Amino acid sequence: MDHDHNTPINESPVNPMPPLIVAIFLVIMGIEAAFSMGSRGLVGGPEAVGWRIAAVQSYGFSGDVFDWMIENNRWPMEHVLRFVTYPFIHGSFTHAIFGGAMVLALGKMVGEAFSTLATLLIFVV
């Protein structure tokens, strides 16, 4: 690749990323930062140590709860909400980093091929 050394290069040092994907990544990492800092006692006081476990119990997907909803044909909003919230809850810092990297890699590809609304629907569904 030849270019004139006298002219500035206007290339970005990072690949452009769809704003929705960046927002999803930042939410995932923000939640993980709160859990990590809480488990180390940096925020939230002594009860912050259990934030991750409480979030998994309240917002993580549960097969037993899903089976109960199907059997009883009842769909309480607190349990239906789990379908949307579970991608944001991770078991550890490493789990969140790998999840975030996958969101960035696959989200860039999907976000460039589809509209923002379609990308959001693909992420949620």
Side-chain angles (χ1 to χ4, degrees):
M1 177 169 116
D2 285 337
H3 58 81
D4 186 8
H5 292 284
N6 295 327
T7 59
I9 299 173
N10 292 328
E11 295 178 17
S12 175
V14 296
N15 290 330
M17 190 71 62
L20 174 66
I21 301 305
V22 173
I24 291 171
F25 175 77
L26 291 176
V27 170
I28 291 171
M29 290 297 110
I31 292 169
E32 183 54 39
F35 290 161
S36 294
M37 288 189 295
S39 69
R40 288 171 177 76
L42 300 174
V43 296
E47 66 273 357
V49 173
W51 282 353
R52 185 183 309 275
I53 294 170
V56 168
Q57 289 176 344
S58 298
Y59 301 108
F61 183 79
S62 170
D64 293 335
V65 171
F66 183 64
D67 291 342
W68 176 86
M69 290 191 304
I70 291 174
E71 288 173 10
N72 296 304
N73 197 26
R74 294 189 57 212
W75 304 91
M77 187 52 72
E78 66 182 297
H79 297 310
V80 171
L81 187 64
R82 294 172 185 253
F83 291 108
V84 178
T85 58
Y86 83 91
F88 298 100
I89 308 298
H90 294 86
S92 67
F93 178 76
T94 305
H95 183 209
I97 290 294
F98 275 99
M102 294 300 290
V103 165
L104 289 175
L106 297 174
K108 179 176 178 6
M109 180 183 66
V110 172
E112 290 175 347
F114 296 104
S115 69
T116 301
L117 180 60
T119 302
L120 181 62
L121 287 174
I122 288 170
F123 180 77
V124 172
V125 174

